Amino acid sequence: MAQYFGLGSDVPIEDSERLVADSLRQLPDDYFVLHHVAWQSRRNGREGDGEADFLVIHPRKGIVVIEVKGGGIDVVNGRWFSKDRYGQSHEIKNPYEQAIASKHALVDWLKGDLAISNVGIGHAVAFPHIDAVPPLGLVASKAITWSRADLAEPRKVVEGVISHWGLRANLSAQDTSRLLKLLAPTVTVRRTLVSISASSSNELFALTAQQVEALAGLRSVRGGLLFGGAGTGKTVLAIARAQQLSNEGFRTLLVCYNELLGDQLHAQFNDMKSLYATTFHKLCFQEARKAGLTIPSSPSAEWWETEAAELLVEACATNGAEFDAIVVDEAQDFAPSWLDALRCLFGPKAEQPFYVFADPRQELWGRNWANGADWPFTHQLTKNLRNTSPIAERICAVFQSNDHPSGVNGPAPMWRDLENPKNPEVDVIAVVEKLIDEGFGPKNLLVLCGTAKTASRLRSFTVGPYSFGLWGGNGIAAETIARFKGLESEAVVLLLDRSDEANIEKMLAYVGISRARAVLAVIGSGKQRNLLNWSYSAAVKSK
């Protein structure tokens, strides 16, 4: 049987594509079949983007691009119509023209981005719901037109297309492996959400079908918004998309707002020439220095909010285009003017890849990041992949959302009423001592506070054999919720020591709770317990 690469699942959702997939699987084992493929290239004055329902690849015989059209077909005066199961007629694009466009885009992409030219590419159109396809015009010769009956003999019809187009190929094992790695929509990536637990920071995991579908969707458009709740894998997908773009030859920028997350991403990709990761404001400083612009020695709050973006735009006029693609993580922390300023890094180029990942529930700074935005592609993630189900249920309870937990069991989160409001470190130390007794330590335990004042004061204390310190240093880290946003720890002690307007309090708690993968202890008042719907049993289930 052929080696089959599907979109998150071995069984396509559409019946027409399922019938074609079932047929193509029966090809000999030296064939590769890819379902729902999309690719992009640096344009440089040419069109290189494309997508195909199926690709059939043989290292010695070539590549066949297959367009699938389900239902019945009518062609009236050159216009194409498809009939659905209810007999309703809908105008559609000419599938042969679609297949030809995909074929030419793939040829350009292989030559330009993979430097592969020793492979012939042909195309065909499959009508899996039609027993006998009538003549459809000069572009629809019998050899490249498949009916339901033809699908019963997949090797015969595929080799008929290869013969019709006179295809040949000379793909080495390395060429084939490189091609499949970039085109196959099933993706496995290194877990790159920063973890204090060394044992889990290098864990490998396969993306869920929902994530693979989102990633494939992003590959078929040049801009889009992917949003979801805490723990749904947005940063993982942002990193995966940035890596894809880099591997495909784009000079790629991966940018976020949070300093700790930015530092970790920068260190992770420091050795990659075509992928640069940083924070928005560090990028502003860097480009301004490169352009020789004046940077204030003590920037004001107004400078951070508005003038930094203006300085970036000014610097771009001097420095020119710096990147071919941009991926923005934690975009809810950005102002619209910041996102506009980032586009200046493309220079005069149009339609460069620009992707945004966000969680509206974590919009702590009130910058109205999505104000006036119009995204060509949007996709929502709803399955929590970071937290155990008991913690995920507490996350859902805050805003009574319908996200789906991971299905991974774990201990119930703990709540401790704050007994010492004037000296909350007493309560924190009591909880941390219990977790130390149960085997936790600096590598997998973190304390999060609502205010910088409390976090700083906590760092003057010791607990058991450990001191409290900054994240990334020695001892048990004590950080603020806002500073740690975007990161995670195996165990978190969350101190709700900040009193704000109710919605801000809920957002901060939501962010803090979601940082804990497996063990969570929350210290707060009875009022805060009610505000967070702690007793609420979320009607969620694993999906």
Side-chain angles (χ1 to χ4, degrees), residues 364-444:
L364 297 179
W365 312 111
R367 295 189 176 112
N368 296 317
W369 65 281
N371 186 32
D374 183 19
W375 305 104
F377 169 91
T378 59
H379 190 98
Q380 182 177 12
L381 293 172
T382 58
K383 183 165 184 176
N384 187 305
L385 301 172
R386 176 197 298 148
N387 316 99
T388 61
S389 287
I391 295 175
E393 185 166 341
R394 297 274 57 82
I395 296 169
C396 291
V398 175
F399 292 106
Q400 299 188 10
S401 64
N402 294 318
D403 290 350
H404 302 278
S406 62
V408 177
N409 293 324
M414 299 170 280
W415 181 279
R416 177 187 173 102
D417 286 331
L418 183 62
E419 298 178 3
N420 299 275
K422 294 184 178 179
N423 297 289
E425 59 273 6
V426 174
D427 294 278
V428 171
I429 290 171
V431 174
V432 171
E433 283 178 339
K434 290 182 179 180
L435 291 175
I436 290 174
D437 289 343
E438 294 178 10
F440 288 92
K443 290 185 177 181
N444 54 14

Side-chain angles (χ1 to χ4, degrees), residues 6 25 53 83 107 178 198 203 239 345 384 410 422 464 498 533 541:
R25 285 175 189 276
D53 292 330
K83 286 186 178 179
V107 169
R178 187 157 53 110
E203 180 184 354
I239 292 170
L345 294 165
N384 187 305
K422 294 184 178 179
R498 178 171 165 175
N533 303 307
K541 58 184 178 179

Side-chain angles (χ1 to χ4, degrees), residues 14-21 23 53-54 66-73 125-133 145-151:
E14 294 290 337
D15 179 66
S16 57
E17 294 184 3
R18 180 182 58 77
L19 293 171
V20 175
S23 172
D53 292 330
F54 288 92
I66 302 169
E67 183 72 20
V68 178
K69 286 301 173 189
I73 295 293
V125 178
F127 300 94
H129 292 143
I130 300 178
D131 291 324
V133 182
T145 301
W146 299 352
S147 65
R148 185 204 302 265
D150 291 324
L151 293 176

Side-chain angles (χ1 to χ4, degrees), residues 41 43 45-49 104-105 108-109 351:
S41 66
R43 291 199 168 169
R46 61 180 172 82
E47 295 293 328
D49 300 351
H104 289 317
D108 290 342
W109 184 70
E351 298 184 47

Side-chain angles (χ1 to χ4, degrees), residues 101-125:
S102 295
K103 177 176 70 173
H104 289 317
L106 184 58
V107 169
D108 290 342
W109 184 70
L110 290 175
K111 290 180 179 178
D113 290 273
L114 290 181
I116 294 176
S117 58
N118 54 341
V119 56
I121 303 178
H123 68 272
V125 178

